[in-house]
Every structure is written in structure tokens, then in C-alpha cells.
Amino acid sequence: MATITERALAATIDHAILKPELTRADVDAELDIAAEWKVFSVCVRPSDIPHAVERLAGTGVAVGTVIGFPHGTTSTAAKVAEVRQALADGASEFDMVINIGALRSGFDDQVVADIAAVVNAASGHITKVILETALLDDEQIARGSRLTEQGGADFVKTSTGFAGGGATVPHVELMRASVGPEVQVKASGGVRSYADALAMLGAGATRLGTSGSAVILGEARRVDAGDEATGAVDDTSY
């Protein structure tokens, strides 16, 4: 992928607002960035959903949240309860963390059941499954992607950004090759620049998770204007 316009790139971005230390003022500043740059959605902490929905009303920016975050080891019942509460609070997309230990143990039926329960609770809303690729080998990434598809989720996603590693081009390519065309791939963690975004989209991702939306889209704007894109953001949170 040689280039992409600012508007087309913004439509792929879930702007991450997930660091545990963020104050309400910090959250508001990030929500305003999302609205200013007209990204597809924000991905906020569950307790921030009602406020985010209210603040972003009328902007066209969707509000998503995380489930079983960041370790994926909460019970299926707890994940389902999180989804139901998030729906009641106004969230429209859900990024759940796979049960990483179960995946690594080869407990495939347990993994699929966990995913399917969350998908069912989401009642037709977009569900993404985070594999946490930094903790997996290639076989586990490919199998986790296939189990995501079997569980009925809409996306398989690379990372939380909280496990010491993020998206890589080879992992995105592997995930894309492991699922059918109806399942999309989200690259998150380490997407810090316009070049990073292009690389992930070129590898097969259709959604990007990043806290660096302003930097990335600012670079895209300069490219649209005929200038060269440079620079990066310290995106260690997603």
C-alpha cells in the first residue's frame, strides 16, 4: 500500500484510551482528539463508557471497550457480565482478551466456548478477540486465529499493548492467512506512525488500535498535501 488518504486512514482507527492512570481530564483530552480527527471509534476503559458516549454524542465517533482486559483470565461468566453492562452503558464494540493460558495449554474447546459466549452476549455488535501475540508462538497465533473464527467473532486482534510487545507485520500476515475473508484483522500495539499504519494495512489489517491518532493522521494530512510524512509517537499503551 503506497499511500492512503487522511479520511480513509481515520476510518480504520480505534483510538485507545486505556492506561489505568488516566484522569478524567486526560480522558477528555483524548476523546476530543478522537472527535477532532474523526476516527472510527474510541476504545475506553469500561468505567469510562457512559462519559465517553455523552461527550462524543453527535461526533460520529463510536465508543468501544475492552472485556477481560488485559490478561483474559477472568471467567466466561465475568466476561459476559462485562459485555452486558457495557451494552447498557452504550458501548457498540467489544475487544475481548482470549484466555491466553487456555490457548497455550491446547484447551481449544474452552477457548471457543469463551469467545462464543462473549459474541452471543454482544447481540450482533462487533466483537474482536485479542490474542496477545507477544506471548505466543506462530502455531498458537494461527490456532488462536482459527478458534476466534470458530467462536463467531468479527475480528482477530494482535495485542493489548500491556504485555511487552505489539503488532508485527509477520504476525498480522499470519493471522490474515489463518482465517476466512469474513473475519477481519486488527493490529494494535506499536502502531506509532503513518508508515507503521501503512505496513499493517498492507499486511492485511483493516482496523488499527493506537493512542497516536493525531500524529499518524497529521502525517497522513501532510502526505495528502504533498509533503513527506515523518515522526512517531510513543504508543506503548495499545
Side-chain angles (χ1 to χ4, degrees):
M1 181 175 294
T3 61
I4 184 172
T5 66
E6 176 194 340
R7 289 295 342 121
L9 184 54
T12 72
I13 290 178
D14 295 339
H15 184 68
I17 313 175
L18 293 169
K19 290 181 179 179
E21 70 271 23
L22 295 177
T23 65
R24 175 55 59 84
D26 295 331
V27 169
D28 283 348
E30 295 299 322
L31 292 171
D32 292 347
I33 286 170
E36 176 186 354
W37 289 95
K38 298 180 174 61
V39 298
F40 181 83
S41 78
V42 294
C43 191
V44 300
R45 303 172 300 194
S47 58
D48 293 325
I49 296 168
H51 178 70
V53 169
E54 180 179 7
R55 193 171 184 91
L56 291 174
T59 67
V61 178
V63 176
T65 194
V66 287
I67 304 297
F69 195 84
H71 301 304
T73 53
T74 49
S75 68
T76 298
K79 289 178 180 178
V80 166
E82 282 190 276
V83 173
R84 289 174 176 163
Q85 184 61 57
L87 274 173
D89 288 340
S92 59
E93 294 197 353
F94 305 97
D95 291 29
M96 68 167 286
V97 186
I98 203 168
N99 188 317
I100 301 164
L103 174 62
R104 294 186 63 189
S105 298
F107 299 156
D108 291 4
D109 290 347
Q110 180 182 333
V111 171
V112 171
D114 189 56
I115 294 168
V118 169
V119 169
N120 182 61
S123 300
H125 293 267
I126 294 292
T127 303
K128 314 182 195 92
V129 176
I130 306 170
L131 299 185
E132 202 64 282
T133 50
L135 304 181
L136 307 175
D137 61 27
D138 283 358
E139 185 278 331
Q140 292 162 349
I141 292 169
R143 181 161 46 86
S145 299
R146 293 193 298 271
L147 298 178
T148 293
E149 183 170 24
Q150 290 176 35
D154 302 282
F155 281 80
V156 60
K157 174 179 167 183
T158 57
S159 318
T160 64
F162 289 87
T168 68
V169 165
H171 285 165
V172 171
E173 290 175 338
L174 176 59
M175 292 159 67
R176 178 65 273 160
S178 299
V179 295
E182 68 280 2
V183 178
Q184 300 181 62
V185 177
K186 177 175 173 179
S188 64
V191 183
R192 300 172 180 168
S193 68
Y194 178 74
D196 291 338
L198 289 184
M200 296 304 167
L201 294 173
T206 53
R207 197 80 71 86
L208 306 173
T210 181
S211 59
S213 304
V215 169
I216 293 169
L217 292 172
E219 292 184 277
R221 181 172 294 179
R222 290 192 292 274
V223 171
D224 285 351
D227 297 329
E228 183 177 353
T230 58
V233 64
D234 180 15
D235 176 26
T236 57
S237 68
Y238 196 68

